[in-house]
């Protein structure tokens, strides 16, 4: 009990929080929450039942959930080894590789879509030879949706897992090595379990980012109902003719994202459940 009260005593010793920090914190919350609250206030909830049973909405929702889950799984498969490489192995150019990993975070979405077209388009660096050899095209397909979502979501997982690996005690790896475990065995039985919270949080963030992806998707995959029209694209389409529908769909997507993130918030931000 005494140790649990120590932080309270320390906080009391430091005195009250400075007013300027409280004011700026309040403004930050307003910036973050005002748009969301405004959306919820303006949403015509009476249309919710009709929208949820609409075949177009159900198709877009199904495609969003399937493609975002697939993109998160791909990010997990590819991102964990890359994060381990960045956190555990010293090699020339590591800082450059780390910088390149974060490029999709700052790249304008439409530029990301064009870059994907240049890589996987019918005349792209990879897509061209694939089309010439097998007649397969990737752009404007469901595969393109998953690729676009993976492109923007992967950095979130890599950054999260790398941070978890860096904070994990390296001595456990060293003890495993002294007991005769190889690096692969150490990775599977020691490193990965220690980094599990970071892996979970990175996967959730990657999934949430993939679910909300819009710019690269519409540029690389197009906006075809049932094939590439995800929920963000459905919202964009509905916005052209029916503002109420776009608000309802936005609220649905917001609810799904918040529900998933809130259910895992303890692992995500290291907080405690209410």
């Amino acid at each position: 009990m005494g140790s649990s009260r120590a932080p309270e005593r320390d906080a009391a010793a430091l005195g009250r929080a400075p007013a300027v920090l409280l004011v700026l914190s309040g403004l930050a919350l307003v910036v973050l929450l005002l748009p969301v609250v405004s959306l919820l206030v303006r949403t015509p909830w009476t249309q919710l039942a009709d929208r949820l049973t609409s075949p177009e909405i159900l198709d877009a929702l199904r495609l969003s959930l399937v493609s975002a889950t697939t993109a998160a799984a791909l990010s997990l498969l590819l991102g964990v080894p890359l994060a381990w490489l960045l956190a555990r192995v010293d090699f020339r150019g590591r800082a450059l590789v780390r910088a390149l990993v974060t490029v999709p975070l700052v790249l304008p979405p439409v530029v990301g879509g064009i870059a994907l077209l240049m890589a996987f388009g019918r005349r792209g660096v990879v897509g061209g030879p694939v089309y010439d050899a097998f007649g397969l095209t990737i752009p404007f397909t469901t595969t393109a949706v998953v690729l676009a979502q993976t492109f923007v979501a992967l950095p979130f997982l890599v950054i999260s897992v790398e941070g978890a690996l860096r904070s994990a005690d390296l001595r456990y790896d060293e003890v495993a090595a002294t007991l005769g475990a190889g690096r692969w065995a150490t990775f599977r039985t020691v490193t990965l379990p220690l980094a599990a919270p970071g892996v979970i949080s990175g996967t959730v963030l990657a999934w949430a980012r993939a679910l909300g992806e819009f710019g690269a998707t519409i540029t690389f995959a197009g906006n075809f109902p049932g094939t590439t029209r995800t929920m963000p694209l459905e919202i964009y389409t509905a916005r052209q003719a029916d503002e109420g529908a776009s608000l309802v769909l936005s609220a649905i997507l917001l609810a799904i994202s918040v529900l998933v993130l809130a259910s895992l918030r303890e692992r995500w931000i290291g907080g405690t459940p209410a």
Side-chain angles (χ1 to χ4, degrees):
M1 179 177 292
S3 60
S4 64
R5 291 181 176 176
E8 297 177 5
R9 290 199 300 268
D10 293 342
L14 289 172
R16 293 182 177 178
V20 63
L21 296 184
L22 292 177
V23 171
L24 292 175
S25 299
L27 289 175
L29 286 174
V30 170
V31 170
L32 290 171
L33 297 180
L34 182 59
V36 175
V37 173
S38 300
L39 169 65
L40 296 177
V41 169
R42 294 291 302 275
T43 298
W45 295 104
T46 54
Q47 300 180 13
L48 181 60
D50 292 337
R51 298 299 177 186
L52 281 176
T53 55
S54 165
E56 293 81 9
I57 304 305
L58 291 177
D59 281 345
L61 184 58
R62 175 193 55 79
L63 179 60
S64 287
L65 295 177
V66 171
S67 61
T69 303
T70 306
L74 281 175
S75 298
L76 182 66
L77 178 66
L78 304 176
V80 171
L82 178 56
W84 177 85
L85 189 71
L86 293 173
R88 287 286 197 266
V89 181
D90 289 324
F91 61 92
R92 182 177 297 179
R94 184 169 65 171
L96 176 62
V97 173
R98 183 180 291 116
L100 292 175
V101 166
T102 60
V103 165
L105 296 177
V106 298
L107 204 63
V110 65
V111 177
I114 292 174
L116 287 167
L117 276 173
M118 294 302 102
F120 301 106
R122 187 174 293 185
R123 293 300 165 206
V125 174
V126 175
V130 170
Y131 177 74
D132 293 338
F134 306 105
L136 298 177
T137 58
I138 297 175
F140 310 111
T141 64
T142 303
T143 302
V145 175
V146 174
L147 273 177
Q149 292 178 340
T150 304
F151 178 74
V152 299
L154 185 57
F156 288 87
L157 187 135
V158 174
I159 292 173
S160 179
V161 176
E162 185 192 0
L165 289 172
R166 286 185 176 279
S167 63
D169 197 336
L170 189 59
R171 287 177 296 181
Y172 291 105
D173 289 24
E174 295 170 348
V175 169
T178 59
L179 294 175
R183 229 168 181 182
W184 173 240
T186 302
F187 171 77
R188 288 186 295 107
T189 60
V190 178
T191 309
L192 202 54
L194 286 174
V199 174
I200 294 171
S201 65
T203 305
V204 172
L205 287 174
W207 184 87
R209 179 63 186 89
L211 187 69
E213 161 53 28
F214 174 79
T217 302
I218 197 171
T219 306
F220 181 50
N223 185 14
F224 303 107
T227 306
T228 66
R229 182 177 291 176
T230 58
M231 278 294 281
L233 272 62
E234 183 67 37
I235 293 169
Y236 171 78
T237 303
R239 176 72 180 171
Q240 311 301 315
D242 187 350
E243 182 181 359
S246 68
L247 291 175
V248 172
L249 299 180
S250 299
I252 294 172
L253 196 59
L254 174 66
I256 294 172
S257 301
V258 171
L259 182 64
V260 172
L261 293 176
S263 66
L264 294 173
R265 69 189 188 283
E266 185 177 5
R267 290 190 178 91
W268 175 37
I269 62 176
T272 56

